[in-house]
Amino acid sequence: MSSDASTPLILGIETSCDETAAAVVRGGVEVLSNVIATQHELHEEYLGVVPEIASRAHLERLLPVLRKAMNCAGVEWRELDAIAVGHRPGLIGSLLVGVSAAKALAWSLDKPLLGVDHIVAHLQGGLLNEDPATYPAMGLVVSGGHTSLFHLTGPTDIRLLGRTIDDAIGEAYDKAAALLHLGYPGGPKLDELAADGDEHAVKLPVADLGRDRLDYSFSGLKTALLYAVRGRPTGHGKSADFERDSRDLSEQQRADFAASFQRAAVTAILRNLNRALDQHNVFSLLVGGGVSANSKLRKELQHIAVDRGLDLRLPPLEYCLDNAAMIAGYAAHRYKAGLFDDLSLTASTQTELTSR
Ligand code: KG4
Ligand code: ZN
């Protein structure tokens, strides 16, 4: 098995949150293996990711996950052209496990090291096992930690156009789902319940930060849903009681709340996306992040792509959620551009894409 500079064989590592993942990808697109050990069962009872539990679990799981990724790909360590790792943004303790492992592998195997921004890598999800995209492109990342719009003149030439100023859309979905007692992670469960509801049943706000702004805000929607579901607070402070609990609602009412929430959240995403598309001429629309698995969002994005004649790259479900194939895939662009890192690479809680 041999590779050249245009088809580097890259091992990717992803440990930014609660998935321990490793993948081998050739030439940025050909996924030879994609192994994910999810930790959902460890965080379920807390209704959210507990950072200390996450980093310990990464430590225990990473070596077996790495070995499995190499075995499934049928690749020897010496055949790799580079080691890539999602090194930002994310939970610092979790990121450090992946970054340390990547550095140790790069050093001991004498291979180049590539640090990858997790948010940007999500945009590679719809390009895996597919033809390359044509640029300029618009990028939309909708996940548990991020809600961002990007303009890309090339794979490594990216400008942030807008992002959430408070909650990420996935976080809002998870909180809405918790309010409706749907379990964790709630996004997919709320999506499912919404299918049985009337999306016009409850009027919920679609935050608009101004005609010229492409930023998002989801905290108002979350609070509006809280009051709509539970009624007025009857006490003070954090432990305030409310008129009712979502368990008092009928199944149909819960579905109506879910559908109305989903309509408001997706409307907000699409409004700013359409504004950005009015401002920038692009050929492609790259979408990624856990919430790109959402049924309503996927349907609406397909309409937009048809109306505007865009090449829409929606990831298949396995590449919507956090995975390492997107890390290894995106790393190929950095490899080809000569954007290598050395052993001083560090983990960071922040994305590199904060300037506009
Ligand atoms: O990209 P991801 O795996 O992790 C981050 O980088 O944040 O995204 C996870 C998020 C969670 O908030 C989850 O509830 C949400 O994606 N999610 C969904 C759906 N599937 C996953 N949200 C809405 N509808 C879905 N079908
Ligand atoms: Zn993610």
Side-chain angles (χ1 to χ4, degrees):
M1 207 181 295
S2 70
S3 48
D4 57 44
S6 64
T7 54
L9 190 61
I10 299 182
L11 169 68
I13 299 174
E14 157 60 35
T15 61
S16 68
C17 192
D18 60 345
E19 327 280 356
T20 313
V24 179
V25 177
R26 187 194 298 283
V29 287
E30 192 192 340
V31 181
L32 303 184
S33 66
N34 182 36
V35 179
I36 304 177
T38 175
Q39 303 176 7
H40 288 172
E41 79 286 0
L42 300 179
H43 303 284
E44 204 167 8
E45 68 175 293
Y46 306 101
L47 293 178
V49 177
V50 182
E52 281 74 16
I53 294 177
S55 41
R56 266 170 202 273
H58 285 307
L59 263 182
E60 287 163 8
R61 295 167 188 210
L62 186 53
L63 289 181
V65 164
L66 278 168
R67 282 195 200 100
K68 192 168 171 192
M70 294 298 288
N71 283 341
C72 290
V75 164
E76 300 290 334
W77 292 100
R78 63 185 158 73
E79 291 176 295
L80 292 170
D81 290 307
I83 312 292
V85 60
H87 74 120
R88 65 194 306 177
L91 301 171
I92 195 72
S94 292
L95 287 166
L96 280 169
V97 177
V99 170
S100 308
K103 286 192 243 197
L105 282 171
W107 178 76
S108 58
L109 297 167
D110 195 21
K111 305 284 180 189
L113 176 66
L114 296 153
V116 169
D117 188 291
H118 176 96
I119 304 183
V120 175
H122 265 305
L123 297 176
Q124 189 75 14
L127 303 175
L128 296 168
N129 300 321
E130 298 286 341
D131 291 336
T134 307
Y135 295 84
M138 189 65 69
L140 170 68
V141 177
V142 278
S143 75
H146 306 279
T147 312
S148 308
L149 276 170
F150 301 102
H151 183 251
L152 299 94
T153 45
T156 58
D157 195 354
I158 307 170
R159 194 160 65 90
L160 177 73
L161 299 177
R163 67 193 150 118
T164 181
I165 59 162
D166 42 53
D167 293 351
I169 182 172
E171 197 180 342
Y173 259 94
D174 291 338
K175 285 178 180 161
L179 183 64
L180 294 170
H181 296 288
L182 301 181
Y184 173 85
K189 291 179 179 148
L190 192 143
D191 188 10
E192 214 179 295
L193 180 62
D196 302 324
D198 170 7
E199 62 177 22
H200 298 285
V202 188
K203 203 167 162 15
L204 294 169
V206 180
D208 187 352
L209 299 173
R211 273 176 164 279
D212 303 326
R213 282 184 72 180
L214 297 174
D215 289 328
Y216 291 104
S217 166
F218 290 101
S219 66
L221 171 59
K222 182 186 66 185
T223 310
L225 183 71
L226 169 70
Y227 290 135
V229 169
R230 302 205 56 193
R232 278 177 306 172
T234 53
H236 294 291
K238 279 203 156 172
S239 57
D241 287 327
F242 288 86
E243 286 175 292
R244 53 183 179 268
D245 187 86
S246 74
R247 279 179 276 230
D248 304 333
L249 303 172
S250 69
E251 197 50 29
Q252 187 58 51
Q253 283 172 315
R254 278 150 42 94
D256 288 347
F257 277 118
S260 302
F261 169 87
Q262 174 140 293
R263 174 171 173 268
V266 171
T267 301
I269 294 293
L270 300 180
R271 190 204 41 230
N272 288 17
L273 172 64
N274 275 313
R275 274 184 193 160
L277 290 169
D278 288 342
Q279 292 169 14
H280 300 273
N281 267 327
V282 294
F283 294 109
S284 316
L285 173 54
L286 314 182
V287 183
V291 185
S292 59
N294 183 265
S295 59
K296 182 174 171 69
L297 183 63
R298 291 177 84 86
K299 216 182 296 157
E300 302 283 351
L301 287 170
Q302 274 151 357
H303 290 315
I304 290 179
V306 170
D307 287 350
R308 291 180 179 264
L310 297 172
D311 177 14
L312 172 64
R313 299 307 186 95
L314 262 180
L317 295 187
E318 65 180 318
Y319 300 138
C320 288
L321 295 168
D322 287 349
N323 65 86
M326 68 184 197
I327 301 287
Y330 184 74
H333 297 302
R334 294 186 70 85
Y335 185 97
K336 288 177 209 168
L339 297 169
F340 296 106
D341 290 283
D342 59 27
L343 295 179
S344 65
L345 182 75
T346 53
S348 169
T349 56
Q350 303 297 315
T351 171
E352 60 190 351
L353 294 155
T354 49
S355 58
R356 268 165 245 209

